[in-house]
Amino acid sequence: MSEDIPYEVRRAQEINHMFGPKDSDEAFDLIFDLHNTTSNMGGTLILENSRNNFTIQMFHYIKNALAPECCPVFLTEHPNLKYATTRSIAKHPVGVEVGPQPQGVLRADILDKMRKIIKHGLDFVHIFNEGKEFPPCTIEVYKIMEKVDYPRNKNGEITAVIHPHLQDQDWQPLNKGDPIFLTIDVHTVIYHGLERSLWKIQNGHQRNLNNFTRRRKYYILHWCIGFVQNAQNRANCYSPFSFVFSLLLCGLKSLDQQ
């Protein structure tokens, strides 16, 4: 491996070698990728593929186990806005994002929420490995729809903050005409984008869930790296690079597993 490549690239290659290679039979079956966040997301599960029936069943199990506590599911599947993740090396990647928690602070309630999500996820794996079959299920997901940049001046510098009516309102509806930003000269910027929509999609893939390899090859990958967080709407996303200063908007849908 060349010493001239950036650290992040080199580390990604090392992780791919440890737990992959990606898209190969040797890749790990399951990776839990754990993140804390400054965003008011609560305990959020991140789904990368709407056709991954094993992960959909797991999320359904976790959500039922946590009820009545809310556990949103964020579907990052999008042709242009999907971002790369380490967990995608596994056949069944599971992202867990829990907040709000300030940088450099460990909150007991956030830690407890993370532990509960992972416990129920591992319980599901244990039950699955014992041969239990699961009937078709449906889960609600928030699907990424749009990325909105902060207002900027001619030098590319951010000139606004999140509007107080939107601040900390993760997973709440944002409608056309709602305030979204407040500029430094106290001017309200409203949302001119997509209308709010709710729709149902039938997942037409008939798969035998028990085809999942039961060799107990799963791994909990614990990353508590605090990236600068995006502004809040119905879901927040993070990235050390391209998504640091942007607002990601998503729509609510129902996702079926058959």
Side-chain angles (χ1 to χ4, degrees), residues 128-143:
F128 179 85
N129 282 338
E130 289 185 332
K132 177 178 173 60
E133 294 187 5
F134 298 85
C137 67
T138 299
I139 60 173
E140 272 191 346
V141 301
Y142 292 84
K143 182 178 180 180

Side-chain angles (χ1 to χ4, degrees), residues 43-71:
T44 298
L45 296 166
I46 302 176
L47 177 66
E48 299 203 4
N49 187 341
S50 62
R51 298 180 179 182
N52 190 322
N53 289 337
F54 176 83
T55 313
I56 292 172
Q57 285 281 2
M58 176 188 284
F59 285 10
H60 182 261
Y61 180 92
I62 293 172
K63 287 171 68 68
N64 284 344
L66 290 173
E69 183 178 349
C70 182
C71 182

Side-chain angles (χ1 to χ4, degrees), residues 90-201:
K91 299 180 182 70
H92 308 285
V94 175
V96 182
E97 192 88 10
V98 182
Q101 178 171 273
Q103 309 293 358
V105 174
L106 181 61
R107 287 181 45 159
D109 59 336
I110 299 299
L111 180 60
D112 181 64
K113 188 170 295 187
M114 181 77 78
R115 283 173 170 165
K116 286 180 180 178
I117 291 174
I118 296 304
K119 174 190 179 300
H120 295 312
L122 293 178
D123 285 346
F124 174 85
V125 173
H126 176 70
I127 295 171
F128 179 85
N129 282 338
E130 289 185 332
K132 177 178 173 60
E133 294 187 5
F134 298 85
C137 67
T138 299
I139 60 173
E140 272 191 346
V141 301
Y142 292 84
K143 182 178 180 180
I144 184 170
M145 301 285 290
E146 183 181 7
K147 183 176 74 170
V148 178
D149 193 16
Y150 276 65
R152 298 174 183 269
N153 61 22
K154 61 181 180 181
N155 297 321
E157 300 168 328
I158 292 176
T159 59
V161 296
I162 299 302
H163 195 278
H165 291 170
L166 183 61
Q167 184 69 47
D168 297 328
Q169 298 302 307
D170 301 67
W171 309 119
Q172 299 303 312
L174 177 68
N175 298 301
K176 194 171 183 178
D178 286 349
I180 188 171
F181 295 116
L182 187 66
T183 66
I184 55 176
D185 57 356
V186 201
H187 172 69
T188 296
V189 178
I190 64 172
Y191 177 56
H192 294 285
L194 302 171
E195 296 281 2
R196 181 186 174 211
S197 58
L198 173 66
W199 70 100
K200 184 179 181 67
I201 290 182

